[in-house]
């Protein structure tokens, strides 16, 4: 049986988790005054912090139920399965993150083709080869551009590896 969390006394809490400017900006974005009351900022900070902590605890219990020690992204998705609005927002944010990573990778790749690893000009590395040609050679296998040959595995039975001799053919 899990241990119940200790009750928190909001009057003894002195340290805020989020900066007061961030919370004030959040309140302003949703139509509050330009200068919200400090009590409002404190209460909203406490509500947000409690929600994040409870969400993480629920995701941890989902991971524990799946017999895992680490929390995965799928645990959060599973926990939010009944709240379609939040689950949809999380899915949208994850898709946006993947798209941004893909675009950053494409941008970094284009940048790397212009300047080599050693800082050579016109996409040449220190040996004078073009960077894209060097990576193409590595991908294909050898320096001459021919793919590497695969080695055949030796037969562990000690024979020549096949054939229809008497030791390999079973009769009827």
């Amino acid at each position: 049986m899990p241990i119940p969390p200790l009750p928190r006394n909001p009057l003894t809490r002195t340290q805020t988790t989020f900066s007061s400017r961030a919370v004030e900006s959040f309140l302003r974005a949703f139509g509050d005054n330009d200068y919200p009351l400090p009590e409002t900022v404190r209460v909203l900070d406490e509500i947000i912090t409690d929600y994040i902590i409870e969400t993480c605890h629920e995701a941890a219990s989902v991971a524990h139920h799946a017999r895992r020690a680490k929390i995965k992204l799928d645990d959060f998705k599973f926990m939010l399965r009944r709240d379609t609005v939040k689950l949809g927002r999380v899915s949208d944010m994850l898709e946006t993150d993947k798209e941004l990573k893909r675009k950053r990778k494409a941008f970094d790749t284009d940048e790397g083709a212009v300047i080599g690893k050693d800082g050579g000009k016109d996409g040449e590395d220190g040996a004078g080869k073009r960077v894209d040609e060097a990576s193409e050679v590595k991908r294909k296998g050898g320096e001459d551009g021919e793919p590497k040959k695969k080695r055949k595995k030796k037969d562990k039975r000690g024979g020549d590896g096949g054939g229809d001799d008497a030791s390999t053919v079973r009769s009827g």
Side-chain angles (χ1 to χ4, degrees), residues 8-151:
R8 293 178 51 186
N9 187 354
L11 298 176
T12 61
R13 185 174 177 189
T14 57
Q15 183 180 2
T16 60
T17 307
F18 299 100
S19 69
S20 60
R21 286 188 179 185
V23 177
E24 287 175 8
S25 299
F26 185 73
L27 285 167
R28 256 184 259 125
F30 283 94
D32 198 7
N33 251 345
D34 287 342
Y35 303 102
L37 294 173
E39 294 84 15
T40 307
V41 172
R42 184 185 54 78
V43 168
L44 184 61
D45 177 63
E46 189 172 323
I47 290 170
I48 293 170
T49 304
D50 288 343
Y51 177 75
I52 291 172
I53 290 170
E54 289 173 11
T55 302
C56 292
H57 281 297
E58 287 182 41
S61 68
V62 170
H64 180 72
H65 184 71
R67 296 182 181 172
R68 281 185 279 115
K70 294 184 179 180
I71 300 172
K72 292 185 177 182
L73 184 63
D74 291 337
D75 299 328
F76 286 99
K77 286 182 178 180
F78 184 79
M79 188 212 54
L80 292 172
R81 71 189 183 279
R82 292 190 184 114
D83 193 349
T84 57
V85 174
K86 289 178 188 166
L87 183 61
R89 178 72 175 140
V90 167
S91 299
D92 288 343
M93 291 177 75
L94 290 172
E95 289 298 320
T96 303
D97 185 51
K98 284 181 185 178
E99 184 178 337
L100 286 173
K101 283 181 182 178
R102 184 180 49 82
K103 287 182 178 180
R104 275 191 214 114
K105 185 177 178 182
F107 182 75
D108 290 343
T109 304
D110 294 339
E111 191 70 28
V114 176
I115 298 175
K117 293 178 185 175
D118 296 339
K121 296 180 182 178
D122 296 325
E124 293 181 357
D125 63 1
K129 283 187 183 179
R130 294 194 52 84
V131 173
D132 52 348
E133 290 174 4
S135 61
E136 185 69 21
V137 168
K138 285 180 186 176
R139 187 179 63 80
K140 285 186 178 178
E143 281 293 322
D144 54 356
E146 293 182 18
K148 291 183 179 178
K149 294 180 181 177
K150 294 182 180 179
R151 294 182 183 178

Side-chain angles (χ1 to χ4, degrees), residues 143-169:
E143 281 293 322
D144 54 356
E146 293 182 18
K148 291 183 179 178
K149 294 180 181 177
K150 294 182 180 179
R151 294 182 183 178
K152 292 183 180 179
K153 292 183 181 179
K154 291 184 180 179
D155 190 9
K156 292 184 181 181
R157 289 180 281 166
D160 60 346
D164 288 339
D165 60 341
S167 65
T168 59
V169 177

